[in-house]
Amino acid sequence: MSHDTPAIAIRDIVKRYKGDKGQEDKLALKGVSFDVPQGGIFGLLGPNGAGKSTLINILAGLVNKTSGSASIWGFDIDDERRNAKASIGIVPQEIVFDPFFTPFEALELQAGLFGVPEKLRRSEELLRAVHLADKRDAYTRQLSGGMKRRLLIAKAMVHSPPILVLDEPTAGVDVDLRRQLWELVTELNRDGVTVVLTTHYLEEAEELCDRIAIINHGELIANKPTREMIGMAREKIVRVSVDKDLAGPVMEEGFTRADVIDARTLEVTYNRDEMTAGQVLAKVQGHGYAIEDVTTREADLEDVFVELTKAG
Ligand code: ADP
Ligand code: MG
Protein backbone atom coordinates (compact mmCIF):
# COMPACT_ATOMS: atom_id res chain seq x y z
CA MET A 1 0.00 0.00 0.00
CA SER A 2 1.27 3.47 -0.86
CA HIS A 3 2.65 5.48 2.01
CA ASP A 4 0.12 8.27 1.85
CA THR A 5 -2.95 6.01 1.73
CA PRO A 6 -4.63 6.43 5.12
CA ALA A 7 -4.51 3.44 7.47
CA ILE A 8 -8.22 4.02 8.00
CA ALA A 9 -10.53 6.27 5.97
CA ILE A 10 -13.98 7.02 7.38
CA ARG A 11 -16.55 8.79 5.18
CA ASP A 12 -19.93 10.22 6.20
CA ILE A 13 -20.71 7.43 8.62
CA VAL A 14 -24.17 7.59 10.13
CA LYS A 15 -25.45 5.19 12.76
CA ARG A 16 -29.03 5.17 13.90
CA TYR A 17 -29.90 2.68 16.64
CA LYS A 18 -33.53 1.67 16.45
CA GLY A 19 -35.32 2.52 19.68
CA ASP A 20 -36.98 -0.26 21.63
CA LYS A 21 -40.75 -0.22 21.30
CA GLY A 22 -42.07 3.17 22.33
CA GLN A 23 -38.52 4.58 22.51
CA GLU A 24 -37.07 7.09 20.07
CA ASP A 25 -34.25 6.12 17.72
CA LYS A 26 -30.77 7.17 18.76
CA LEU A 27 -28.58 8.91 16.21
CA ALA A 28 -25.21 7.82 17.58
CA LEU A 29 -23.11 9.01 14.59
CA LYS A 30 -24.28 11.95 12.52
CA GLY A 31 -22.06 11.75 9.43
CA VAL A 32 -18.48 11.36 10.63
CA SER A 33 -15.50 11.62 8.24
CA PHE A 34 -11.78 11.51 8.95
CA ASP A 35 -8.55 9.71 8.06
CA VAL A 36 -6.15 7.92 10.35
CA PRO A 37 -2.66 8.31 8.85
CA GLN A 38 -0.25 5.36 8.80
CA GLY A 39 2.36 4.89 11.46
CA GLY A 40 1.17 7.00 14.39
CA ILE A 41 -0.83 6.70 17.57
CA PHE A 42 -4.21 8.24 16.86
CA GLY A 43 -6.53 9.21 19.70
CA LEU A 44 -10.29 9.28 19.34
CA LEU A 45 -11.33 11.39 22.27
CA GLY A 46 -14.79 12.16 23.53
CA PRO A 47 -17.05 12.04 26.57
CA ASN A 48 -19.08 8.94 27.43
CA GLY A 49 -21.86 8.41 24.91
CA ALA A 50 -20.09 10.41 22.17
CA GLY A 51 -20.14 7.50 19.72
CA LYS A 52 -16.56 6.19 19.98
CA SER A 53 -17.39 2.53 20.53
CA THR A 54 -20.07 2.63 17.88
CA LEU A 55 -17.50 3.78 15.34
CA ILE A 56 -14.91 1.19 16.43
CA ASN A 57 -17.52 -1.57 16.37
CA ILE A 58 -18.52 -0.60 12.83
CA LEU A 59 -14.87 -1.00 11.78
CA ALA A 60 -14.77 -4.33 13.61
CA GLY A 61 -17.88 -5.53 11.78
CA LEU A 62 -19.78 -5.88 15.06
CA VAL A 63 -22.25 -3.06 14.35
CA ASN A 64 -23.91 -2.32 10.99
CA LYS A 65 -23.67 1.29 9.91
CA THR A 66 -26.77 3.06 8.65
CA SER A 67 -24.89 4.80 5.82
CA GLY A 68 -21.45 5.98 4.78
CA SER A 69 -18.31 4.01 4.02
CA ALA A 70 -14.94 3.11 5.48
CA SER A 71 -11.77 1.50 4.31
CA ILE A 72 -9.07 -0.22 6.34
CA TRP A 73 -5.56 -0.38 4.88
CA GLY A 74 -7.12 0.53 1.55
CA PHE A 75 -9.81 -2.20 1.68
CA ASP A 76 -13.47 -1.22 1.72
CA ILE A 77 -15.16 -2.73 4.79
CA ASP A 78 -18.20 -3.81 2.75
CA ASP A 79 -16.73 -4.84 -0.60
CA GLU A 80 -13.42 -6.26 0.65
CA ARG A 81 -14.48 -7.47 4.06
CA ARG A 82 -11.90 -10.27 4.42
CA ASN A 83 -8.90 -8.14 3.56
CA ALA A 84 -10.21 -5.28 5.69
CA LYS A 85 -10.61 -7.63 8.64
CA ALA A 86 -7.17 -9.12 8.16
CA SER A 87 -5.65 -5.64 8.34
CA ILE A 88 -6.93 -4.70 11.77
CA GLY A 89 -6.79 -6.06 15.30
CA ILE A 90 -9.41 -4.80 17.73
CA VAL A 91 -9.44 -4.86 21.50
CA PRO A 92 -13.07 -4.21 22.43
CA GLN A 93 -14.16 -2.14 25.40
CA GLU A 94 -15.99 -5.05 27.01
CA ILE A 95 -13.65 -7.77 28.24
CA VAL A 96 -14.87 -11.20 27.26
CA PHE A 97 -12.79 -14.19 28.15
CA ASP A 98 -12.80 -17.90 28.13
CA PRO A 99 -11.42 -18.72 31.58
CA PHE A 100 -10.57 -22.33 30.79
CA PHE A 101 -7.72 -21.72 28.38
CA THR A 102 -4.15 -20.83 29.17
CA PRO A 103 -2.77 -17.67 27.56
CA PHE A 104 -0.84 -19.80 25.07
CA GLU A 105 -3.95 -21.81 24.13
CA ALA A 106 -6.04 -18.65 23.85
CA LEU A 107 -3.60 -17.21 21.32
CA GLU A 108 -3.34 -20.44 19.33
CA LEU A 109 -7.12 -20.68 19.18
CA GLN A 110 -7.46 -17.09 18.01
CA ALA A 111 -4.77 -17.65 15.37
CA GLY A 112 -6.74 -20.66 14.19
CA LEU A 113 -9.88 -18.55 13.88
CA PHE A 114 -7.95 -16.13 11.68
CA GLY A 115 -6.60 -18.99 9.58
CA VAL A 116 -2.98 -18.38 10.48
CA PRO A 117 -1.03 -21.53 9.47
CA GLU A 118 0.67 -23.25 12.38
CA LYS A 119 4.19 -22.49 11.32
CA LEU A 120 3.43 -18.79 10.96
CA ARG A 121 1.94 -18.48 14.42
CA ARG A 122 3.78 -16.34 16.90
CA SER A 123 2.08 -17.04 20.19
CA GLU A 124 5.35 -17.26 22.16
CA GLU A 125 6.64 -14.04 20.66
CA LEU A 126 3.38 -12.24 21.42
CA LEU A 127 3.38 -13.48 25.02
CA ARG A 128 6.88 -12.05 25.39
CA ALA A 129 5.80 -8.78 23.78
CA VAL A 130 3.00 -8.31 26.32
CA HIS A 131 5.23 -9.50 29.18
CA LEU A 132 3.26 -12.67 29.84
CA ALA A 133 5.84 -15.29 28.81
CA ASP A 134 5.97 -16.61 32.38
CA LYS A 135 2.18 -17.03 32.39
CA ARG A 136 2.16 -19.10 29.21
CA ASP A 137 0.51 -22.11 30.86
CA ALA A 138 -1.41 -20.45 33.70
CA TYR A 139 -5.19 -20.56 33.69
CA THR A 140 -6.57 -17.34 32.29
CA ARG A 141 -8.99 -17.07 35.19
CA GLN A 142 -5.98 -16.84 37.52
CA LEU A 143 -4.54 -13.80 35.75
CA SER A 144 -4.85 -10.35 37.28
CA GLY A 145 -6.99 -7.74 35.55
CA GLY A 146 -3.90 -6.14 34.06
CA MET A 147 -2.60 -9.42 32.70
CA LYS A 148 -5.97 -10.10 31.09
CA ARG A 149 -5.88 -6.72 29.36
CA ARG A 150 -2.40 -7.47 28.04
CA LEU A 151 -3.50 -10.89 26.85
CA LEU A 152 -6.37 -9.24 24.95
CA ILE A 153 -3.87 -7.03 23.16
CA ALA A 154 -1.82 -10.10 22.19
CA LYS A 155 -5.04 -11.78 20.98
CA ALA A 156 -5.78 -8.81 18.74
CA MET A 157 -2.31 -9.18 17.18
CA VAL A 158 -2.27 -12.92 16.30
CA HIS A 159 -2.74 -12.28 12.57
CA SER A 160 -0.04 -9.55 12.55
CA PRO A 161 -2.34 -6.74 11.44
CA PRO A 162 -0.72 -3.41 10.54
CA ILE A 163 -3.37 -1.60 12.62
CA LEU A 164 -4.29 -2.13 16.27
CA VAL A 165 -7.40 -0.49 17.72
CA LEU A 166 -7.98 -0.27 21.45
CA ASP A 167 -11.34 0.86 22.77
CA GLU A 168 -10.86 2.53 26.18
CA PRO A 169 -7.86 0.37 27.07
CA THR A 170 -7.36 1.98 30.46
CA ALA A 171 -10.91 2.67 31.64
CA GLY A 172 -11.14 1.68 35.30
CA VAL A 173 -7.49 0.68 35.45
CA ASP A 174 -5.09 1.79 38.20
CA VAL A 175 -2.21 4.19 37.60
CA ASP A 176 0.54 1.54 37.46
CA LEU A 177 -1.29 -0.62 34.98
CA ARG A 178 -2.15 2.41 32.89
CA ARG A 179 1.57 3.22 32.62
CA GLN A 180 2.30 -0.40 31.66
CA LEU A 181 -0.33 -0.35 28.93
CA TRP A 182 0.96 2.97 27.59
CA GLU A 183 4.44 1.48 27.36
CA LEU A 184 3.15 -1.58 25.57
CA VAL A 185 1.25 0.52 23.05
CA THR A 186 4.32 2.69 22.49
CA GLU A 187 6.48 -0.40 21.92
CA LEU A 188 4.05 -1.85 19.37
CA ASN A 189 3.92 1.48 17.58
CA ARG A 190 7.72 1.68 17.51
CA ASP A 191 7.68 -1.73 15.83
CA GLY A 192 5.58 -0.21 13.05
CA VAL A 193 1.98 -0.84 14.11
CA THR A 194 -0.48 2.01 13.51
CA VAL A 195 -2.41 2.43 16.75
CA VAL A 196 -5.88 3.89 17.26
CA LEU A 197 -7.23 4.24 20.75
CA THR A 198 -10.39 5.72 22.14
CA THR A 199 -10.34 7.34 25.51
CA HIS A 200 -12.19 9.82 27.66
CA TYR A 201 -8.99 10.56 29.59
CA LEU A 202 -7.48 13.77 28.26
CA GLU A 203 -4.16 13.07 29.91
CA GLU A 204 -3.90 9.76 28.11
CA ALA A 205 -4.54 11.28 24.70
CA GLU A 206 -2.13 14.12 25.36
CA GLU A 207 0.65 11.86 26.56
CA LEU A 208 0.34 9.02 24.07
CA CYS A 209 -1.17 10.24 20.82
CA ASP A 210 0.50 12.23 18.07
CA ARG A 211 -2.85 13.10 16.56
CA ILE A 212 -6.23 13.57 18.20
CA ALA A 213 -9.77 13.67 16.89
CA ILE A 214 -12.52 14.84 19.21
CA ILE A 215 -16.02 13.46 18.87
CA ASN A 216 -19.03 14.80 20.74
CA HIS A 217 -22.72 13.85 20.36
CA GLY A 218 -21.90 11.79 17.25
CA GLU A 219 -20.08 14.60 15.46
CA LEU A 220 -16.40 15.16 14.79
CA ILE A 221 -15.53 18.57 16.20
CA ALA A 222 -11.73 18.62 15.79
CA ASN A 223 -8.94 16.56 14.22
CA LYS A 224 -5.36 17.77 14.49
CA PRO A 225 -1.82 16.89 15.52
CA THR A 226 -1.74 16.89 19.34
CA ARG A 227 0.60 19.91 19.52
CA GLU A 228 -1.68 21.98 17.31
CA MET A 229 -4.74 20.85 19.18
CA ILE A 230 -3.28 22.08 22.44
CA GLY A 231 -2.26 25.32 20.72
CA MET A 232 -5.92 25.90 19.83
CA ALA A 233 -6.70 27.05 23.34
CA ARG A 234 -7.62 30.69 23.10
CA GLU A 235 -7.22 31.32 26.79
CA LYS A 236 -3.80 31.97 28.26
CA ILE A 237 -2.80 32.33 31.86
CA VAL A 238 -0.11 34.54 33.45
CA ARG A 239 0.80 34.49 37.10
CA VAL A 240 2.17 37.77 38.40
CA SER A 241 3.95 38.51 41.70
CA VAL A 242 3.82 42.16 42.76
CA ASP A 243 5.86 44.28 45.19
CA LYS A 244 3.17 44.92 47.79
CA ASP A 245 0.01 43.30 49.10
CA LEU A 246 -2.89 43.40 46.70
CA ALA A 247 -5.33 46.06 47.86
CA GLY A 248 -8.41 45.15 45.81
CA PRO A 249 -9.71 43.54 42.66
CA VAL A 250 -7.57 43.91 39.53
CA MET A 251 -10.22 42.84 37.04
CA GLU A 252 -9.85 44.65 33.74
CA GLU A 253 -11.57 44.69 30.40
CA GLY A 254 -10.05 41.89 28.34
CA PHE A 255 -9.33 39.65 31.34
CA THR A 256 -11.49 36.53 31.54
CA ARG A 257 -10.55 36.10 35.18
CA ALA A 258 -8.22 37.60 37.75
CA ASP A 259 -7.71 35.21 40.66
CA VAL A 260 -5.89 36.17 43.82
CA ILE A 261 -3.53 33.29 44.65
CA ASP A 262 -2.02 34.86 47.77
CA ALA A 263 -1.40 38.35 49.20
CA ARG A 264 1.05 39.31 46.45
CA THR A 265 0.26 36.88 43.67
CA LEU A 266 -2.37 37.24 40.99
CA GLU A 267 -3.31 34.86 38.19
CA VAL A 268 -4.84 36.43 35.12
CA THR A 269 -6.64 34.42 32.45
CA TYR A 270 -7.04 36.28 29.18
CA ASN A 271 -8.04 35.69 25.60
CA ARG A 272 -4.93 35.66 23.46
CA ASP A 273 -6.91 36.87 20.44
CA GLU A 274 -7.71 40.07 22.32
CA MET A 275 -4.52 40.96 24.14
CA THR A 276 -0.90 40.05 24.75
CA ALA A 277 0.86 39.10 27.97
CA GLY A 278 2.62 42.50 27.81
CA GLN A 279 -0.73 44.27 27.82
CA VAL A 280 -1.85 42.19 30.80
CA LEU A 281 1.24 43.27 32.74
CA ALA A 282 0.73 46.92 31.76
CA LYS A 283 -2.83 46.78 33.14
CA VAL A 284 -1.62 45.29 36.41
CA GLN A 285 1.04 48.02 36.67
CA GLY A 286 -1.72 50.56 36.00
CA HIS A 287 -3.12 49.63 39.42
CA GLY A 288 0.07 50.95 41.05
CA TYR A 289 1.96 47.65 41.48
CA ALA A 290 5.52 46.94 40.41
CA ILE A 291 5.95 43.48 38.92
CA GLU A 292 8.54 41.25 40.57
CA ASP A 293 7.99 37.95 38.80
CA VAL A 294 5.97 36.54 35.91
CA THR A 295 5.26 32.93 34.92
CA THR A 296 2.94 31.69 32.20
CA ARG A 297 1.06 28.46 32.16
CA GLU A 298 0.43 26.92 28.79
CA ALA A 299 -3.08 25.83 28.15
CA ASP A 300 -3.48 22.06 28.03
CA LEU A 301 -5.74 19.68 26.22
CA GLU A 302 -8.33 20.01 28.94
CA ASP A 303 -8.70 23.73 28.24
CA VAL A 304 -9.23 23.02 24.54
CA PHE A 305 -11.60 20.15 25.19
CA VAL A 306 -13.76 22.26 27.49
CA GLU A 307 -13.86 25.12 24.98
CA LEU A 308 -14.75 22.86 22.06
CA THR A 309 -17.36 20.70 23.74
CA LYS A 310 -18.96 23.81 25.28
CA ALA A 311 -19.30 25.34 21.81
CA GLY A 312 -20.90 22.12 20.50
P1 ADP B 1 -18.91 6.00 23.63
O1 ADP B 1 -18.18 4.76 23.29
O2 ADP B 1 -18.30 7.23 23.06
O3 ADP B 1 -19.13 6.15 25.11
P2 ADP B 1 -21.17 4.69 22.35
O4 ADP B 1 -20.78 4.51 20.93
O5 ADP B 1 -21.07 3.52 23.24
O6 ADP B 1 -20.38 5.94 22.96
O7 ADP B 1 -22.66 5.23 22.40
C1 ADP B 1 -23.11 6.32 21.61
C2 ADP B 1 -24.60 6.52 21.82
O8 ADP B 1 -25.32 5.41 21.25
C3 ADP B 1 -25.01 6.57 23.28
O9 ADP B 1 -26.05 7.49 23.41
C4 ADP B 1 -25.48 5.15 23.56
O10 ADP B 1 -26.46 5.16 24.58
C5 ADP B 1 -26.09 4.76 22.23
N1 ADP B 1 -25.99 3.30 22.00
C6 ADP B 1 -24.85 2.57 22.00
N2 ADP B 1 -25.10 1.27 21.73
C7 ADP B 1 -26.45 1.19 21.54
C8 ADP B 1 -27.34 0.12 21.24
N3 ADP B 1 -26.90 -1.13 21.05
N4 ADP B 1 -28.67 0.42 21.14
C9 ADP B 1 -29.12 1.67 21.33
N5 ADP B 1 -28.33 2.73 21.61
C10 ADP B 1 -27.01 2.51 21.73
MG1 MG C 1 -17.23 3.38 24.48
Side-chain angles (χ1 to χ4, degrees), residues 151-178:
L151 181 57
L152 280 177
I153 294 175
K155 255 180 100 174
M157 295 297 297
V158 290
H159 55 300
S160 310
I163 307 170
L164 175 66
V165 178
L166 305 126
D167 193 3
E168 303 263 1
T170 62
V173 149
D174 69 30
V175 179
D176 282 349
L177 177 55
R178 185 170 303 170

Side-chain angles (χ1 to χ4, degrees), residues 93-246:
Q93 185 172 354
E94 310 296 335
I95 298 193
V96 273
F97 249 113
D98 197 324
F100 299 104
F101 292 108
T102 67
F104 180 79
E105 288 166 345
L107 294 186
E108 287 291 306
L109 198 71
Q110 184 77 0
L113 289 176
F114 271 91
V116 181
E118 223 150 313
K119 60 176 192 292
L120 291 181
R121 292 189 193 165
R122 37 186 217 127
S123 304
E124 310 271 3
E125 178 196 333
L126 283 168
L127 287 174
R128 277 196 302 279
V130 298
H131 310 292
L132 284 176
D134 57 333
K135 299 290 172 194
R136 182 188 189 276
D137 302 317
Y139 280 112
T140 300
R141 64 170 182 274
Q142 293 166 338
L143 302 183
S144 70
M147 291 173 182
K148 283 182 186 154
R149 296 225 176 218
R150 298 201 311 259
L151 181 57
L152 280 177
I153 294 175
K155 255 180 100 174
M157 295 297 297
V158 290
H159 55 300
S160 310
I163 307 170
L164 175 66
V165 178
L166 305 126
D167 193 3
E168 303 263 1
T170 62
V173 149
D174 69 30
V175 179
D176 282 349
L177 177 55
R178 185 170 303 170
R179 286 269 152 211
Q180 267 182 40
L181 290 170
W182 289 2
E183 260 170 48
L184 180 55
V185 165
T186 308
E187 280 166 25
L188 287 166
N189 178 250
R190 231 183 278 130
D191 292 341
V193 178
T194 299
V195 176
V196 178
L197 61 92
T198 78
T199 184
H200 63 272
Y201 295 118
L202 299 159
E203 188 204 350
E204 178 159 281
E206 186 167 349
E207 163 120 14
L208 211 55
C209 302
D210 49 50
R211 191 177 185 92
I212 293 174
I214 298 179
I215 183 171
N216 194 30
H217 297 304
E219 283 176 304
L220 193 79
I221 54 175
N223 172 16
K224 286 185 188 308
T226 305
R227 283 290 118 223
E228 269 179 46
M229 185 76 87
I230 292 164
M232 278 172 73
R234 284 187 298 278
E235 307 229 295
K236 291 246 169 187
I237 299 146
V238 282
R239 185 175 277 213
V240 186
S241 299
V242 293
D243 62 328
K244 51 180 176 281
D245 288 1
L246 293 161

Side-chain angles (χ1 to χ4, degrees), residues 35 48 131 174 279:
D35 287 346
N48 279 323
H131 310 292
D174 69 30
Q279 288 170 320

